[in-house]
Amino acid sequence: MSGRVVGRVISYVVLVLIGLAGIAPFVYLLILSFKSRIDVLTVPPDLHFDWSTIQENYRTVIHDQHYVTFVVNSIIVTGVSTLIALGLGVPAAYAFSRLRFRGADTWASTILSFRFMPPIAVAIPIFLMIRSLGLVDSQFGLILPYVAFSLPLVIWIMIGFFDEIPREIDESAMVDGLTRPLVLLRVLLPLARPGMLVAATFGVIFVWNEFLVGLYIVNSTDRETIPIAASSLLTVESPIDWNLAATVGILTVIPILIFSMVVQRYIVRGITAGAVR
Amino acid sequence: MTAVTANAPRPGRPARLAPPTQGRGEALLLLGPAALYLIAFSIYPLVTSLVRSFQDYNTTKNTWRWIGFRNYEDLFTSSEFWTVVKNTLILTTVGVAIQVVVGTALALFFNQNLRGSAIVRGILILPMLLTPIVVGLMWRALLNPEWGLLNWVAVELGFGYVGWLSDSHVALWTLVLVDSWQWTPFVFVVVYARLQALPQEVFEAGSVDGASWFQRTRMLTLPLLMPAIVFAAIFRGIDAFRTFDLVFGLTNGGPVQSTSTLSFEGFQNGFEFQRYGYASAVSYVMVIAAAIGITFLLRVVRVRRVDVAT
């Protein structure tokens, strides 16, 4: 009996250690963001915090470094890209799930293989393209490639969800006189809502974090999204005020953390869809 | 690159009842916009990239000159390129292997359903959602040579000072470590979900037969989990192969290219040095390698309709 108790205790110790390993880097960054520039250098960091220093750090980042502008830009770019990707991707996924047409498999393979493509392979030509279209330093210049990157993801996720909806539902609606696009719009979209939420969740996370393509497309402060701004504020080489860098980091990830708590079940569903079936 | 879906027949689809032409208009209407979009912003750039890889870009005149296979020759004869290939392969093999083993172990551990484990599972999902640039920042703070917490711990425990990011023999392994911190949870989530979906009777039968936990895990649980493990490993492998953002955020490829990956090499040459032609050649080597790798993997393991997103 006591052996089992010991086992339990060990299990709980391991559980706590796993949790700590997951969250410690984040907490460490949070602590640094509460320190003055000098106090960062104290190892291990003492847990005495000064409210005025905290205010000072966050005020500096939020006001002097245009954090609010970046958040607004990020929300616009992420929202518009995700909506366009859903608008284009959902009908396409529906077609792949239901219709039999020549070249269907080739198209499906081509589109889905973009899920595997290294972004750098298109980043350079896309940058040159955006440049020749005169869209450098505009939000539209970011949205165009971001839609292209999220689209395969959306199509892939949605095919899975449409396949789960029985075809009889479409067929009976068509007997009632609806055309395919109307069936999709009126009958299937409400049924496919969880799928669209999963697809939107992953579209949002991808676009919110993206900076490889965006870094060179956008270069003025009032157009930058959070990660693009953060990557220029936090480059590896530049000497940085660590307390402010940490504050930028915390303010960058807080929106995505809140978002992911709200949509946690869609995240797990998206990651495991298909693997568990 | 082959699609995962292409070979596996999808359930519930009748075999060609209607002639292929029927529904063509509808297909065009539903699929057309997405197809056009991808032609413009994915296929066209990809083809351009191939053409550019045989050209040389003149930055001052903004002109392109055809130079045949010169970019590829330069590439294959540069020792830097092979270092980068080696780094990428280590990340994709050793890194992913660590993540698969630890992630699977975590899934087995969490299957005990300890009280409070839901909270820890919630925590474990977070690293893979974080903005990569911030992941780099967090770890550069933890690993800072002067005041970073990890070196303090290492010294206190008697391991002595470690040049996590400054020692060119260590930095790549630091990258593997941080990549594993961020992505082991992905393997965990996939494998754990599969584990939860398995019928519990199987395990009960096993324990009635007097098999130990270890025997049951090896003979029963792991084989049943294999599809999920393989699935996670393939997706992780593909993503690790194109690792870019962590390198950018953590090491910037250094010290002296010791942590640079193929994606990062392409990025640096393309965007920082404006050697667009050379960078295109680097990225095309990646495209071809990925295509071969994925085709080969799918032949060997035959994953059926998988869909996932990260």
Side-chain angles (χ1 to χ4, degrees):
Chain A
M1 198 60 203
S2 72
R4 275 185 66 184
V5 173
V6 172
R8 280 264 127 167
V9 170
I10 293 175
S11 286
Y12 275 103
V13 171
V14 173
L15 184 68
V16 170
L17 287 178
I18 294 169
L20 278 180
I23 209 163
F26 185 78
V27 173
Y28 188 59
L29 200 70
L30 193 66
I31 292 174
L32 292 184
S33 79
F34 290 165
K35 297 281 177 188
S36 68
R37 201 154 63 94
I38 308 292
D39 286 343
V40 165
L41 307 177
T42 317
V43 226
D46 70 76
L47 297 178
H48 169 79
F49 300 110
D50 187 4
W51 178 237
S52 65
T53 315
I54 299 174
Q55 274 182 312
E56 173 71 18
N57 287 350
Y58 281 80
R59 197 190 51 76
T60 307
V61 172
I62 291 174
H63 287 284
D64 304 356
Q65 300 188 340
H66 317 280
Y67 176 74
V68 180
T69 316
F70 304 145
V71 174
V72 172
N73 289 342
S74 273
I75 290 174
I76 293 172
V77 170
T78 307
V80 175
S81 310
T82 308
L83 283 179
I84 297 179
L86 281 177
L88 293 171
V90 169
Y94 177 67
F96 281 126
S97 172
R98 292 297 197 265
L99 298 176
R100 194 86 201 137
F101 52 96
R102 206 183 323 170
D105 284 347
T106 317
W107 266 107
S109 328
T110 313
I111 290 179
L112 300 181
S113 64
F114 284 116
R115 165 70 183 76
F116 299 130
M117 188 181 54
I120 187 67
V122 289
I124 295 164
I126 281 183
F127 165 69
L128 297 174
M129 210 163 126
I130 297 290
R131 199 173 67 174
S132 63
L133 288 172
L135 291 173
V136 165
D137 220 13
S138 73
Q139 271 149 359
F140 206 49
L142 286 179
I143 291 169
L144 285 177
Y146 286 175
V147 171
F149 283 121
S150 341
L151 199 47
L153 211 70
V154 170
I155 295 178
W156 197 335
I157 293 172
M158 289 312 297
I159 289 179
F161 278 93
F162 281 129
D163 279 354
E164 279 178 4
I165 300 173
R167 308 170 64 88
E168 288 73 33
I169 293 181
D170 311 35
E171 277 149 21
S172 65
M174 277 157 71
V175 169
D176 290 347
L178 290 183
T179 58
R180 279 271 178 207
L182 282 179
V183 171
L184 171 65
L185 209 61
R186 297 211 191 134
V187 185
L188 285 194
L189 279 196
L191 294 174
R193 227 179 64 138
M196 297 200 316
L197 286 171
V198 171
T201 300
F202 281 87
V204 165
I205 293 172
F206 170 77
V207 176
W208 189 271
N209 287 337
E210 208 294 324
F211 68 100
L212 163 59
V213 177
L215 201 52
Y216 280 79
I217 289 180
V218 155
N219 45 37
S220 71
T221 315
D222 52 342
R223 290 281 181 271
E224 285 176 336
T225 60
I226 300 181
I228 296 172
S231 63
S232 50
L233 289 172
L234 310 175
T235 48
V236 173
E237 271 116 3
S238 67
I240 43 182
D241 292 334
W242 273 96
N243 56 335
L244 294 185
T247 312
V248 171
I250 292 297
L251 286 172
T252 304
V253 295
I254 275 180
I256 202 83
L257 290 184
I258 294 171
F259 176 75
S260 67
M261 274 170 214
V262 177
V263 297
Q264 199 182 32
R265 61 202 178 102
Y266 297 119
I267 292 173
V268 174
R269 177 111 197 240
I271 292 172
T272 56
V276 189
R277 208 170 274 189
Chain B
M1 282 160 277
T2 339
V4 184
T5 45
N7 305 331
R10 232 179 263 139
R13 162 175 290 175
R16 292 188 185 270
L17 288 180
T21 41
Q22 192 187 326
R24 212 183 192 178
E26 289 169 336
L28 210 63
L29 187 66
L30 293 166
L31 194 61
L36 282 180
Y37 200 95
L38 286 173
I39 289 173
F41 291 99
S42 290
I43 297 175
Y44 171 73
L46 203 60
V47 174
T48 322
S49 217
L50 180 62
V51 176
R52 295 308 187 209
S53 74
F54 296 105
Q55 294 180 324
D56 184 45
Y57 179 69
N58 187 317
T59 32
T60 45
K61 284 189 258 169
N62 190 17
T63 51
W64 297 87
R65 191 167 54 94
W66 190 265
I67 54 166
F69 281 91
R70 261 258 292 295
N71 285 326
Y72 289 95
E73 278 168 35
D74 290 352
L75 199 68
F76 291 126
T77 51
S78 109
S79 66
E80 185 179 310
F81 172 75
W82 293 109
T83 310
V84 168
V85 168
K86 187 204 75 189
N87 294 344
T88 310
L89 289 181
I90 287 180
L91 261 179
T92 357
T93 54
V94 182
V96 173
I98 292 172
Q99 292 153 28
V100 166
V101 171
V102 178
T104 307
L106 281 176
L108 292 172
F109 176 79
F110 275 91
N111 204 37
Q112 302 174 80
N113 287 320
L114 296 173
R115 193 179 297 226
S117 58
I119 299 169
V120 181
R121 270 189 282 128
I123 292 175
L124 284 183
I125 291 181
L126 300 181
M128 56 181 149
L129 306 177
L130 293 183
T131 314
I133 195 90
V134 178
V135 174
L137 180 79
M138 282 176 179
W139 283 89
R140 272 192 289 142
L142 278 167
L143 302 167
N144 186 287
E146 282 133 37
W147 45 264
L149 199 60
L150 272 189
N151 257 335
W152 177 77
V153 173
V155 171
E156 289 290 304
L157 293 177
F159 292 110
Y161 177 87
V162 184
W164 298 101
L165 298 171
S166 54
D167 186 333
S168 60
H169 298 289
V170 179
L172 183 63
W173 300 106
T174 307
L175 194 69
V176 169
L177 172 84
V178 178
D179 191 58
S180 300
W181 175 78
Q182 199 184 2
W183 291 107
T184 301
F186 171 78
V187 180
F188 160 68
V189 168
V190 171
V191 177
Y192 180 74
R194 166 92 187 171
L195 192 54
Q196 293 280 296
L198 291 179
Q200 291 303 310
E201 299 84 57
V202 180
F203 301 104
E204 278 154 24
S207 50
V208 168
D209 289 347
S212 71
W213 179 87
F214 184 75
Q215 284 169 321
R216 268 180 287 145
T217 303
R218 201 169 62 96
M219 312 295 284
L220 216 65
T221 320
L222 283 184
L224 287 170
L225 290 180
M226 230 3 133
I229 296 174
V230 169
F231 167 92
I234 289 180
F235 272 81
R236 204 61 274 295
I238 292 164
D239 278 345
F241 182 69
R242 40 182 202 181
T243 301
F244 163 78
D245 22 31
L246 193 60
V247 180
F248 184 93
L250 193 66
T251 62
N252 218 21
V256 271
Q257 306 298 327
S258 65
T259 55
S260 185
T261 58
L262 280 166
S263 282
F264 192 75
E265 179 81 356
F267 172 84
Q268 256 190 337
N269 277 290
F271 288 113
E272 284 177 22
F273 311 146
Q274 302 210 332
R275 295 171 68 192
Y276 295 130
Y278 186 81
S280 300
V282 174
S283 56
Y284 246 82
V285 170
M286 287 187 77
V287 170
I288 291 165
I292 294 173
I294 291 163
T295 313
F296 174 74
L297 273 177
L298 293 180
R299 284 278 151 73
V300 177
V301 295
R302 279 200 71 77
V303 180
R304 292 182 47 122
R305 233 193 61 65
V306 282
D307 42 319
V308 86
T310 30

